[in-house]
């Protein structure tokens, strides 16, 4: 199971959601400008502030999700990539040692 891919897909959903929300905020603020409730500068400031707040909260959410996922995977005994890389290196060294011993035996 490619957990990094799953996490990236989840985060992309968040980015897509942010884009949709930002577009809707622009639509609402444009409508308010047309109705004379706010001026264009206020509309832009409103949208910019809201989008910045959403992105900030999304960043916090992403960090929390990554930590929770990492903890859950650790609790389940799923090895980290660095552990897998270390084991692959050890296996490669052992295979070389076995080949060297076999070569010495057959000489």
């Amino acid at each position: 199971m490619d957990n990094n891919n799953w996490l990236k897909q989840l985060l992309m959903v968040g980015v897509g959601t942010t884009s949709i929300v930002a577009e809707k905020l622009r639509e609402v603020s444009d409508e308010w400008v047309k109705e004379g409730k706010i001026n264009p500068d206020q509309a832009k400031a409103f949208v910019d502030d809201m989008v910045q707040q959403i992105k900030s909260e999304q960043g916090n959410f992403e960090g929390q999700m990554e930590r929770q996922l990492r903890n859950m995977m650790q609790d389940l005994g799923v090895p980290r990539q660095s552990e897998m890389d270390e084991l692959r290196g050890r296996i490669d060294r052992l295979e070389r040692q076995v080949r060297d011993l076999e070569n010495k035996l057959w000489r």
Side-chain angles (χ1 to χ4, degrees):
M1 172 167 56
D2 188 357
N3 291 308
N4 285 335
N5 190 31
W6 180 82
L7 183 58
K8 286 178 187 175
Q9 288 176 351
L10 180 62
L11 296 177
M12 290 305 292
V13 167
V15 169
T17 302
T18 301
S19 297
I20 291 170
V21 170
E23 181 59 33
K24 292 298 179 187
L25 285 170
R26 284 185 194 93
E27 289 175 12
V28 168
S29 66
D30 288 346
E31 188 65 32
W32 289 346
V33 169
K34 287 178 188 175
E35 294 173 0
K37 293 180 180 178
I38 60 176
N39 67 45
D41 291 335
Q42 290 173 318
K44 182 180 178 344
F46 167 73
V47 172
D48 290 347
D49 289 346
M50 292 300 292
V51 169
Q52 187 58 39
Q53 184 176 350
I54 291 168
K55 286 181 180 179
S56 174
E57 290 173 4
Q58 181 181 1
N60 293 337
F61 174 75
E62 289 171 6
Q64 289 174 355
M65 285 296 294
E66 286 179 21
R67 282 190 297 279
Q68 287 178 350
L69 182 60
R70 195 176 313 116
N71 290 339
M72 183 175 57
M73 290 173 60
Q74 185 177 2
D75 291 345
L76 293 171
V78 177
R80 293 186 310 249
Q81 185 65 43
S82 60
E83 294 170 324
M84 292 298 295
D85 293 342
E86 180 184 337
L87 289 173
R88 284 186 187 102
R90 290 174 65 185
I91 290 170
D92 288 344
R93 285 189 298 278
L94 287 171
E95 287 175 340
R96 276 193 299 268
Q97 289 175 350
V98 168
R99 275 194 306 272
D100 290 345
L101 288 173
E102 286 175 342
N103 288 337
K104 287 180 183 178
L105 182 66
W106 293 106
R107 285 185 191 168

